[in-house]
Amino acid sequence: MNRHILPNAMLGILGGGQLGRMFTLSAKAMGYRVTVLDPDPDSPAGSLADVHLQAAYDDPAALQTLAETCAAVTTEFENVPADSMRFLERHIRVSPSAECVAIAQDRIREKRFVREAGLQTAPFLAVEIESDMDGDLSEFLPGILKISRLGYDGKGQVHVADAQAAKAAFRQMGGKPCVLEKALDLKLELSVVVTRIESGEAVCFPAAENQHESGILDVSIVPARVSADVSERARRKTLALAEKLDYIGVLAVEFFLLKDDDLVVNEIAPRPHNSGHYTLDATLFSQFDQQVRSMCGLPPGGTRLLSPAVMVNLLGDIWREDEPAWDKLLSEPNVHLHLYGKKSARIGRKMGHYNVLASNPDAALAQALALKQELLKP
Ligand code: ADP
Ligand code: MG
């Protein structure tokens, strides 16, 4: 398995959204060919890939084609059926493993795994059925009831003040397994993206400081404005989790930094992460380059930060009758615009992002936020 997969080989990816698109761009720049599996005929990655298999993620014929034509397969999202990955694993190199994806796609398993790895999570209660909330819930309240599977961008989450509200929210979300998690008082949020290969070699990108708007990532600031001690602890914890998962590929770990500087693991993503998009322009290699390299059995590329950077997400909300005023961004010599080629803009939909590079994170943030205002002006 230590054989390197070299350019011109076909690489497969499950999912053709923006993460699949940026993976495809990176793979193609290196001379690989790409097959995307995504049922959406307009998927952002589909049109750039060499082959777009328009089929469901559990379509046996499509999976068979991936197994027969690709040298290795990866995924852009954690909600791919774990059985599809298990099927592919019997035939070709799959990274991350089906097992790692199965853990990350289930909040209950994920949080238990983090605890078993000796790391802190928010106090949480696994709620399989409503009566799991019959006992004393004071440890978890006020809290957030989060659906265990298929939640993202703050979807499938309800803030609850008391047991009655928690039970009502559980019923309202269809009685599916959930976690009831204590709402913590956060100093700030951080994330670290790590790349790990089969030999155990692992490298982390610098920690990003993340600001959310209505549960969706809004801005990532790099380097995070925290002490060297905090970022070093975040890095070590990320490496420890990757090690414990025996992870191969790109893994993101989201942390909460509490008022007393404790670092709590929020969640993990078995793939490149929105908060790592700054690596497209600000580090030696990007997180998508790392995804390609790790699935090909190549050593991870360097992660050195070439410039402080701020990433701003562009959500569908800013599309009015016209496209946003892109020239405001394109006129700046230190701003990179990335658009995902999505046909329709909807509220909360991730349409693109831009990276602002500057001599320090505060300057990058000030310019990034000023540009965001400019974008909305006619
Ligand atoms: P998603 O899968 O949608 O990213 P998260 O669990 O990461 O779900 O929650 C989204 C955001 O909501 C977090 O980044 C954080 O800002 C806020 N949040 C989630 N859980 C907590 C918590 N226990 N305490 C405080 N804020 C939280
Ligand atoms: Mg999150």
Side-chain angles (χ1 to χ4, degrees):
M1 277 290 261
N2 277 329
R3 141 190 90 86
H4 292 163
I5 296 170
L6 295 173
N8 218 32
M10 184 68 89
L11 304 179
I13 182 160
L14 303 171
Q18 65 269 18
L19 299 178
R21 178 184 173 96
M22 290 181 271
F23 165 83
T24 300
L25 287 167
S26 178
K28 299 219 46 129
M30 285 186 244
Y32 292 94
R33 292 176 298 135
V34 176
T35 297
V36 167
L37 172 60
D38 191 316
D40 177 4
D42 294 326
S43 83
S47 62
L48 299 180
D50 296 270
V51 178
H52 177 190
L53 299 170
Q54 269 175 50
Y57 296 113
D58 56 358
D59 183 89
L63 294 171
Q64 188 66 36
T65 303
L66 283 172
E68 284 170 9
T69 60
C70 295
V73 170
T74 185
T75 180
E76 69 147 14
F77 69 142
E78 50 272 42
N79 295 324
V80 35
D83 281 344
S84 296
M85 299 197 65
R86 285 190 195 105
F87 168 83
L88 292 168
E89 270 179 353
R90 292 201 288 274
H91 301 276
I92 46 172
R93 198 189 284 196
V94 177
S95 60
S97 68
E99 184 55 19
C100 288
V101 172
I103 293 170
Q105 71 185 194
D106 181 327
R107 287 191 198 276
I108 297 175
R109 283 194 70 185
E110 173 184 65
K111 285 180 191 295
R112 287 184 176 148
F113 187 90
V114 169
R115 291 263 181 100
E116 279 161 21
L119 303 182
Q120 231 183 306
T121 67
F124 75 94
L125 177 73
V127 183
E128 310 268 2
I129 51 171
E130 196 176 317
S131 60
D132 288 338
M133 290 186 283
D134 282 348
D136 175 16
L137 299 182
S138 52
E139 196 191 337
F140 315 108
L141 293 170
I144 306 171
L145 190 73
K146 299 181 179 179
I147 201 146
S148 189
R149 303 172 74 92
L150 300 172
Y152 71 100
D153 285 349
K155 293 188 181 70
Q157 300 196 4
V158 184
H159 284 256
V160 292
D162 52 36
Q164 203 185 343
K167 288 183 174 181
F170 182 74
R171 284 193 295 268
Q172 182 204 323
M173 289 199 288
K176 301 198 184 78
C178 285
V179 292
L180 176 62
E181 185 180 312
K182 170 94 174 164
L184 301 174
D185 196 6
L186 313 183
K187 192 188 257 179
L188 52 80
E189 295 187 59
L190 294 176
S191 58
V192 176
V193 174
V194 60
T195 311
R196 187 174 180 278
I197 60 171
E198 210 171 280
S199 66
E201 183 183 352
V203 296
C204 294
F205 286 110
E209 174 186 341
N210 301 322
Q211 296 179 352
H212 296 78
E213 201 66 64
S214 321
I216 307 180
L217 184 67
D218 180 28
V219 170
S220 291
I221 302 157
V222 188
R225 295 167 300 175
V226 295
S227 67
D229 168 64
V230 168
S231 52
E232 180 56 18
R233 279 192 287 131
R235 196 181 75 88
R236 292 237 191 89
K237 288 176 197 290
T238 302
L239 288 171
L241 271 180
E243 183 79 37
K244 175 93 176 163
L245 285 163
D246 198 10
Y247 196 86
I248 299 175
V250 175
L251 171 77
V253 182
E254 297 179 10
F255 293 97
F256 295 145
L257 182 67
L258 306 186
K259 304 283 175 194
D260 58 4
D261 269 0
D262 266 6
L263 270 173
V264 169
V265 175
N266 173 29
E267 59 173 351
I268 63 177
R271 51 171 172 78
H273 193 259
N274 194 165
S275 67
H277 289 354
Y278 77 88
T279 65
L280 285 166
D281 302 307
T283 45
L284 225 40
F285 284 82
S286 77
Q287 58 175 349
F288 304 100
D289 298 335
Q290 304 287 45
Q291 190 175 18
V292 174
R293 294 176 66 97
S294 55
M295 76 189 288
C296 290
L298 298 165
T303 56
R304 184 159 57 86
L305 190 66
L306 303 173
S307 164
V310 165
M311 189 242 25
V312 179
N313 263 342
L314 294 164
L315 301 184
D317 312 44
I318 62 167
W319 268 248
R320 307 272 159 85
E321 288 95 80
D322 291 322
E323 290 270 309
W326 297 133
D327 55 327
K328 304 268 172 50
L329 297 179
L330 296 170
S331 303
E332 300 295 325
N334 61 331
V335 177
H336 290 267
L337 174 63
H338 300 263
L339 291 173
Y340 307 147
K342 295 186 181 176
K343 288 203 171 139
S344 56
R346 292 191 297 270
I347 300 288
R349 189 176 200 202
K350 290 174 179 169
M351 303 296 288
H353 68 272
Y354 58 95
N355 289 327
V356 177
L357 309 186
S359 55
N360 65 72
D362 291 318
L365 182 61
Q367 188 185 356
L369 296 180
L371 283 168
K372 198 174 178 193
Q373 292 307 312
E374 285 288 310
L375 268 185
L376 294 173
K377 288 187 190 154

Short mmCIF file of all heavy atoms in Angstrom, two decimals, residues 107 146 151-154 157 189 212 215 217 254 256 266-269 271 273, ligand 2:
data_model
loop_
_atom_site.label_atom_id
_atom_site.label_comp_id
_atom_site.label_asym_id
_atom_site.label_seq_id
_atom_site.Cartn_x
_atom_site.Cartn_y
_atom_site.Cartn_z
N ARG A 107 -22.86 12.22 15.75
CA ARG A 107 -22.36 13.05 16.86
C ARG A 107 -22.19 12.26 18.15
O ARG A 107 -21.31 12.55 18.95
CB ARG A 107 -23.31 14.22 17.13
CG ARG A 107 -23.26 15.31 16.09
CD ARG A 107 -24.05 16.55 16.58
NE ARG A 107 -24.39 17.43 15.49
CZ ARG A 107 -23.58 18.37 14.99
NH1 ARG A 107 -22.36 18.53 15.47
NH2 ARG A 107 -23.97 19.13 13.99
N LYS A 146 -28.85 18.78 19.42
CA LYS A 146 -28.33 18.64 18.05
C LYS A 146 -28.67 17.27 17.53
O LYS A 146 -28.42 16.27 18.21
CB LYS A 146 -26.80 18.77 18.05
CG LYS A 146 -26.24 20.09 18.56
CD LYS A 146 -24.71 20.08 18.46
CE LYS A 146 -24.12 21.40 18.94
NZ LYS A 146 -22.64 21.41 18.90
N GLY A 151 -26.73 16.77 10.40
CA GLY A 151 -26.80 18.21 10.67
C GLY A 151 -25.58 18.90 10.08
O GLY A 151 -24.52 18.31 10.00
N TYR A 152 -25.72 20.11 9.64
CA TYR A 152 -24.57 20.91 9.19
C TYR A 152 -24.96 22.37 9.16
O TYR A 152 -26.15 22.70 9.09
CB TYR A 152 -24.07 20.46 7.81
CG TYR A 152 -25.02 20.83 6.68
CD1 TYR A 152 -24.79 21.94 5.88
CD2 TYR A 152 -26.16 20.07 6.46
CE1 TYR A 152 -25.68 22.29 4.87
CE2 TYR A 152 -27.04 20.42 5.45
CZ TYR A 152 -26.80 21.52 4.66
OH TYR A 152 -27.68 21.88 3.67
N ASP A 153 -23.96 23.24 9.22
CA ASP A 153 -24.20 24.69 9.17
C ASP A 153 -25.30 25.11 10.14
O ASP A 153 -26.16 25.93 9.82
CB ASP A 153 -24.57 25.14 7.75
CG ASP A 153 -23.35 25.17 6.82
OD1 ASP A 153 -22.22 25.04 7.34
OD2 ASP A 153 -23.54 25.30 5.60
N GLY A 154 -25.26 24.52 11.33
CA GLY A 154 -26.23 24.91 12.36
C GLY A 154 -27.62 24.33 12.13
O GLY A 154 -28.54 24.59 12.91
N GLN A 157 -30.30 21.95 14.85
CA GLN A 157 -29.91 22.36 16.20
C GLN A 157 -30.95 23.31 16.78
O GLN A 157 -31.39 24.22 16.09
CB GLN A 157 -28.57 23.11 16.18
CG GLN A 157 -27.44 22.28 15.61
CD GLN A 157 -26.08 22.87 15.94
OE1 GLN A 157 -25.98 23.87 16.66
NE2 GLN A 157 -25.04 22.24 15.44
N GLU A 189 -13.61 30.52 18.89
CA GLU A 189 -13.57 29.20 18.26
C GLU A 189 -12.35 29.08 17.37
O GLU A 189 -11.94 30.04 16.72
CB GLU A 189 -14.85 28.98 17.43
CG GLU A 189 -16.09 28.95 18.29
CD GLU A 189 -17.33 28.56 17.50
OE1 GLU A 189 -17.36 27.47 16.92
OE2 GLU A 189 -18.28 29.36 17.50
N HIS A 212 -18.71 32.73 13.60
CA HIS A 212 -19.91 32.21 12.95
C HIS A 212 -21.03 33.24 12.97
O HIS A 212 -21.09 34.08 13.85
CB HIS A 212 -20.39 30.93 13.64
CG HIS A 212 -19.41 29.80 13.54
ND1 HIS A 212 -18.29 29.71 14.32
CD2 HIS A 212 -19.37 28.73 12.72
CE1 HIS A 212 -17.61 28.63 13.99
NE2 HIS A 212 -18.24 28.01 13.02
N GLY A 215 -24.89 30.21 13.10
CA GLY A 215 -24.47 28.81 13.03
C GLY A 215 -23.65 28.47 11.80
O GLY A 215 -23.23 27.33 11.63
N LEU A 217 -20.23 29.31 9.38
CA LEU A 217 -18.94 30.00 9.40
C LEU A 217 -19.03 31.26 8.56
O LEU A 217 -19.50 31.24 7.42
CB LEU A 217 -17.84 29.07 8.85
CG LEU A 217 -16.43 29.66 8.91
CD1 LEU A 217 -15.95 29.84 10.34
CD2 LEU A 217 -15.45 28.78 8.14
N GLU A 254 -12.66 21.04 15.13
CA GLU A 254 -13.17 22.33 15.62
C GLU A 254 -13.08 22.35 17.14
O GLU A 254 -13.50 21.40 17.80
CB GLU A 254 -14.65 22.51 15.23
CG GLU A 254 -14.91 22.57 13.74
CD GLU A 254 -16.40 22.74 13.42
OE1 GLU A 254 -17.20 23.00 14.35
OE2 GLU A 254 -16.76 22.59 12.24
N PHE A 256 -13.61 24.72 20.86
CA PHE A 256 -14.07 25.90 21.60
C PHE A 256 -12.97 26.27 22.57
O PHE A 256 -12.46 25.40 23.30
CB PHE A 256 -15.32 25.58 22.43
CG PHE A 256 -16.54 25.21 21.61
CD1 PHE A 256 -17.44 24.26 22.08
CD2 PHE A 256 -16.80 25.83 20.39
CE1 PHE A 256 -18.59 23.93 21.36
CE2 PHE A 256 -17.94 25.49 19.65
CZ PHE A 256 -18.83 24.55 20.14
N ASN A 266 -15.22 20.52 19.68
CA ASN A 266 -16.62 20.63 19.28
C ASN A 266 -16.97 19.47 18.36
O ASN A 266 -17.78 18.62 18.70
CB ASN A 266 -16.88 21.97 18.60
CG ASN A 266 -18.29 22.07 18.02
OD1 ASN A 266 -19.22 21.43 18.53
ND2 ASN A 266 -18.45 22.83 16.95
N GLU A 267 -16.35 19.43 17.19
CA GLU A 267 -16.63 18.31 16.29
C GLU A 267 -15.46 18.12 15.35
O GLU A 267 -14.54 18.95 15.30
CB GLU A 267 -17.93 18.54 15.52
CG GLU A 267 -17.95 19.79 14.67
CD GLU A 267 -19.19 19.90 13.77
OE1 GLU A 267 -19.95 18.93 13.67
OE2 GLU A 267 -19.35 20.95 13.16
N ILE A 268 -15.49 17.00 14.63
CA ILE A 268 -14.43 16.73 13.67
C ILE A 268 -15.08 16.55 12.29
O ILE A 268 -16.25 16.20 12.19
CB ILE A 268 -13.61 15.47 14.03
CG1 ILE A 268 -14.47 14.21 14.03
CG2 ILE A 268 -12.94 15.64 15.39
CD1 ILE A 268 -13.68 12.93 14.31
N ALA A 269 -14.30 16.84 11.27
CA ALA A 269 -14.79 16.66 9.90
C ALA A 269 -13.74 15.83 9.15
O ALA A 269 -12.57 16.21 9.13
CB ALA A 269 -15.00 18.00 9.22
N ARG A 271 -12.43 15.49 6.34
CA ARG A 271 -12.30 16.09 5.00
C ARG A 271 -11.72 17.48 5.16
O ARG A 271 -11.65 18.00 6.28
CB ARG A 271 -13.68 16.19 4.36
CG ARG A 271 -14.66 16.87 5.31
CD ARG A 271 -15.98 17.22 4.69
NE ARG A 271 -16.94 17.69 5.68
CZ ARG A 271 -16.96 18.90 6.22
NH1 ARG A 271 -16.05 19.82 5.88
NH2 ARG A 271 -17.87 19.22 7.12
N HIS A 273 -11.90 21.47 5.30
CA HIS A 273 -12.90 22.20 6.07
C HIS A 273 -12.99 23.63 5.58
O HIS A 273 -12.00 24.20 5.14
CB HIS A 273 -12.45 22.17 7.55
CG HIS A 273 -13.48 22.61 8.53
ND1 HIS A 273 -13.49 23.86 9.09
CD2 HIS A 273 -14.53 21.94 9.08
CE1 HIS A 273 -14.50 23.94 9.95
NE2 HIS A 273 -15.15 22.79 9.96
MG MG B 2 -19.23 22.88 13.12
#
